Amino acid sequence: MNLNFPRVVIIFSIIGSLVLGWFDNQTTARLSEAREAADSKVQKIVAEIKTKSHQLAQLREKVDNDKIGSGQESPEAYIRGLAQHNHVSLGEVDIEASTKPGQGIVDTIFTIKPSRRLKGRGFKLDQIGNFMYKLEAESQQVRVTHVKLTPLDKVDPHEYPSGSWVFEVQLTSRKRVQE
Amino acid sequence: MARSCGIRIGDGGFEVVVVEGSAKKPVIAKAITGEFARNSEDLIPEMVLAIREAIKDQDVSSENVALVVDTGLAAFRSVRLPFQDKNKIEEVIQFEVENQLPQWAIDDVIIDFHISSTTGVESTLLVTAIPKDDLSLRLSACEKLGLEPMEAELESSAIVNAAFVAGRLEEDSGCVLVHVGESSTSVVIMDGTKVHSMRAIHSGARMPLFKAPADGPTDPNALENEEGPAQGQPEELVDLDQVVARIRRELLRTVSAASTKHELKAIYVTGHDAPGLIGDEILLIPILPLNALPEGSPEVEHPERLTAAFGAAVRQMGGGMLTPSLRRGDLKHKGNFERLELPLAVAGLLLLTLLSVHFIVNDKKLKVAESDMNSWLVSTNNYMLGVPKKGWPGWLRKPNEELKEYARKAETVEEPTHYARFEEIRRKLNLEILSMQRQLGQDIQDDQPMSALDGATLVLGTIAEMGEDLGRFSIRSISSDYAGARNRDGEHIRVKIDMSFFAQDDLVATRHYENLTAAFRNAPWFIDITAKGTKVLETGEGVYIDGLTLEVNPKLAKEAL
């Protein structure tokens, strides 16, 4: 084939048009996508990212404050620490840990009683209440699953309790069993 | 089936031959001959009108057309060049023959050549020159007829091809081919199957109308042209006997001057009638009819007139031994594509330009759009991570390093799209949130057991809200236990209370107790209550109950809020 000037121009134009057409198509698609995103999607996702930032910041704070969750303390140390808290002051407590497996989960149950060494000592209801409240409030990973409050001394039905109580509390930490 | 058409337009006569079949075995499908008035003032309309009338309703193929023109229009020269390369010859031939054609400006003629012999270092060329005007006149006549020729040649080369196809040329003997035209006679001396020389005698069956070319010097091997008697002036028809005598005389000169390797054994004559020529002999060489047409050709009045047109048609089919090409330079045949290539080139450039402009505009717009998106990205990152250099804190005090690195890098990279980068940041945030939730045990938040403390608090809270409706009371013991999902009532809390109700008598106390159970039943978290019945206190001033059992669901209380 004799390659004269018009033919060279035609070949150049065809190849150039194909290449440029492909690039133009890509650019048009990206422009369309960018415009569509800028019109609505970006504002929405930016708002979502900001909300998630807040959520993450709060979670981070909770983790930092959760002594069990952040791994700062063992559950036993956590319980004993709260028993000695200023607003609780229960003193020493006895803790017995046991596990109870379930379907895909395992419950670690900590049974908390006043120390045997403090036998005969009673506690006020607000001390016991604060203790249980603190147990749940300071960690997301435990729940009070059993409470039993009985007067320190035997009380007949027609009598009022003295205000001194003994307690038995079970604290459960539930975890998923790792497959 | 292959098809081609040969048209010979002479000085007052024409032939049209349509050939089918193959180059080796051509068959003449149509053969038309005709005359037209030799009006020198306005030749084209007469020519077109006559041919159009003749080919009307004859199904003449407009494809693969070849034109044969009068040999008398051309001049022949012999040139020797010190190389054989055809491309090189093409480059220099015009300049080589320029001095040998003083009668014409070199730019006004078409130069064609045939390599008649080579010695390894040298080529001997038979050069043909024909004025562009004369050729284009006939080409335009054909175009007007709708039979645009792809190629054009002289009668002399056309009869060589016709003779070759007809098997008249022999390897070991020479011959002379003669074509008697209207105003000129073509003479070709064949040395075996090679062309030795060509010439035109300016005498034909009629007198010449066109001005005969003035010849310059020629090679001894080539035959020179002879000035015609008319010298371009219309003259009266001369006596045909005089014409034949002149042709014979010129043939005698030609044959006697021919220095061929092989002996000349025959003079083949074709074209118009030349009475008395055929059957005669010159220097003991017999003059014979060429009879180059294949058997079964359509019958026409003078079949020998068809030889040149037949030769051109056969050559167009790929047959023959010569490939002359007078359609060169300005007169080169242009097919459909050739005609369209310039507009196509312009359209292509236009398309390219438009695409370029569109691309540039879109690219600019994209850059602006991406710049806007990047501002969103930078702003979001600053909100999340802060700008430490300026002392601006972000919401994430201790951001994950991977998230931080990606978010900052995303501000500068070009791929992927900005929206995809946003999505990736969101995904990383989600992963981080999930990780935090796992650390806090929130991932199984709904699976965590219910709080017995919540259950007890709900019951005690209801008791506390009763006020005077409950009167005086004492709780002597309370327990609260989580009952798992396997329980009949589903997951719930069981609260058990030992309680005494004090009043002036047991009836009032019982009413207080019933008020309490009614309050329990109305509570949103209430599921069930079990009571064994109240007993009257020893003092008679109230009632008591042991083991009042309530089943409650703290989740219902939260939902009620």
Side-chain angles (χ1 to χ4, degrees), chain A residues 4 7 20 24 28 30 48 52-54 60 136 140-141 143-147 149 151 157 174 176, chain B residues 341 356 358 362 370 383-384 426 430 439-440 444-445 447 451-452 476 478-482 500:
Chain A
N4 55 19
R7 289 176 189 181
L20 208 55
D24 191 38
T28 307
R30 284 189 67 172
E48 201 178 334
K52 285 188 183 296
S53 300
H54 294 182
R60 167 67 68 186
E136 284 195 348
Q140 302 275 321
Q141 308 204 25
R143 290 280 190 284
V144 174
T145 49
H146 167 72
V147 182
L149 298 176
R174 178 169 286 179
R176 281 214 170 93
Chain B
E341 64 189 10
S356 304
H358 193 251
N362 266 359
E370 285 188 337
Y383 185 85
M384 273 196 312
R426 180 176 63 182
N430 282 336
Q439 283 191 47
L440 291 169
I444 53 166
Q445 190 72 21
D447 295 336
S451 170
R476 290 174 285 114
I478 181 169
S479 68
S480 176
D481 287 281
Y482 165 73
S500 298

Side-chain angles (χ1 to χ4, degrees), chain B residues 144 380-381 407:
Chain B
K144 285 183 179 172
T380 309
N381 284 345

